[in-house]
Amino acid sequence: MSCSSCLYKRVSMFSLFRGKSSCVNLTKMFYLVGLGLGDVKDITVRGLEIVKKCDKVLLESYTSILTVGKEELEKFYERPLILADRELCESNIDELLKEAKDKHIALLVVGDPLGATTHTDMLLRAKELHVETQIVHNASIMNAVGCCGLQLYNFGETVSIPYWTDNWKPDSFYEKIEANYSRNLHTLCLLDIKVKEPTEESLTKKIRQYMDPKFMSVKEAASQLVQIIENKSDTELSKQSIAVGLSRVGNPDQKIAVKSLEEMEQLDLGPPLHSLVIPAPNLHPVELDYLAQFR
Amino acid sequence: MSCSSCLYKRVSMFSLFRGKSSCVNLTKMFYLVGLGLGDVKDITVRGLEIVKKCDKVLLESYTSILTVGKEELEKFYERPLILADRELCESNIDELLKEAKDKHIALLVVGDPLGATTHTDMLLRAKELHVETQIVHNASIMNAVGCCGLQLYNFGETVSIPYWTDNWKPDSFYEKIEANYSRNLHTLCLLDIKVKEPTEESLTKKIRQYMDPKFMSVKEAASQLVQIIENKSDTELSKQSIAVGLSRVGNPDQKIAVKSLEEMEQLDLGPPLHSLVIPAPNLHPVELDYLAQFR
């Protein structure tokens, strides 16, 4: 596909970079680069410069996913990427960090690099090993959730909703939702992601086996919430309470739906990632007006 | 200044854009583009493409500021920008939105475009006027605050600390800090910004006069907090409570300092913007270790 506006873009982009005299300061370093939430073009200009110039670029693959895969990123960056799983990022991180003493290494992370504890840990470890680090921030669901019209400063503590199993149905996150609700605050619920998780069998038998990746949907989260509510005698929330379902935030095909939790149990919001918001009971008029368009 | 690595960058950036067949879908539209927090290169690739191709680009100048000014942005984008003040964004927004029916118009906003109510309002107004809109997310202080090592999901409600005057010393934000603290949650305090604010005189005399722009420092915020604490008989926080001061987050020269509120009253963290965090009383070991480097 080609069009005159594309041509214009190519020319202007070229002149943009041709004219610059500043350059990324690349003392040997370990970069944590946020990719934002949408697709390949949601990396920042600074982030892209780093990716282009690093000796080695890894793509973190287990705390979140981008709506596009590794291949599209590689095509856009014109370089190969190495997938970094939990083992590499947690158990084998020292090797990687030590490499960053004489090489420029970047770890690409979906959203903002400091949304997950793993990466803070990594930076601490780097400090111990005297490895220089640099963070390139980007949008994360923690701020992009503002796209549903609920004001960011009216959000309370964020919670994570984990996948239940037959024997393990934790619901401690629910108390936090209730505590926010009673203070008239919204709750952002981050939904569970299982990527390269060892199977139960592999844990007991010491064979390395992994489950298929799965990403909790708004539908599944709503269903778990309804079950919790049904088992509580004294709770302010009900099956009829309003929730906001979001999928693929930041992507052109993002979806936002406002429904009761009960209705949300039947809702298909398409491919991952999904997030759920439980709004405060009393909303600001602008919040109400904004949500109304997603009913 | 020229160096071989810069040359490499220019060439690779050129080939990057030359090779792409995708182009930004520019049906006539009103774009809200987040600029992130640092300097000119913190815009996303998608955002930059939009800026390059729009008929008119405005820079929102009163909810936040970038560490670089309009001139540097214009140089980087190779196009003029129009400064958009509060009057334009609030009272005269309809004119601008109507223009976006036959033109591509972008409003650039520091941080993420949906951090402030103004922009949600703008999107609602656009819908009423049947103007298409698109949001380009970016990092905001709401997620980049993770750079101090405090975990984002341990933050409670965000508060804003307003400048006090001789006759007006509101402290309702303090209750929110206390409520977070008692639930063992951190509080991000956004510090007041006064840009193109009408003087008191101009309000009464109907002459258009504006105050010099001012940006609350960590020092000023700490001083107001200490005054509130000194006037309360029953509060969990004290002058000795630990606070985290942050300045110019996302910029290479960002500063983070961990001190008691009392010590923070004497601290100069340099040019704006500043933010303050009141950490929860009981921190996770990783949070403690991370904060320790800023003591």
Side-chain angles (χ1 to χ4, degrees), chain A residues 5-13 41, chain B residues 22-23 49 53:
Chain A
S5 67
C6 279
L7 184 67
Y8 169 66
K9 183 187 75 196
R10 281 177 227 154
V11 172
S12 61
M13 282 294 176
K41 292 184 178 174
Chain B
S22 76
C23 81
E49 284 184 8
K53 292 183 71 177

Side-chain angles (χ1 to χ4, degrees), chain A residues 161-165 168-171 173-174 192 216 218-231 265:
Chain A
I161 302 189
Y163 266 118
W164 282 354
T165 64
W168 192 69
K169 299 187 195 301
D171 63 0
F173 62 86
Y174 186 77
D192 207 358
M216 189 185 282
V218 153
K219 191 172 168 168
E220 291 168 311
S223 160
Q224 290 190 187
L225 278 170
V226 166
Q227 285 179 64
I228 295 172
I229 290 168
E230 282 176 339
N231 287 327
E265 281 190 274

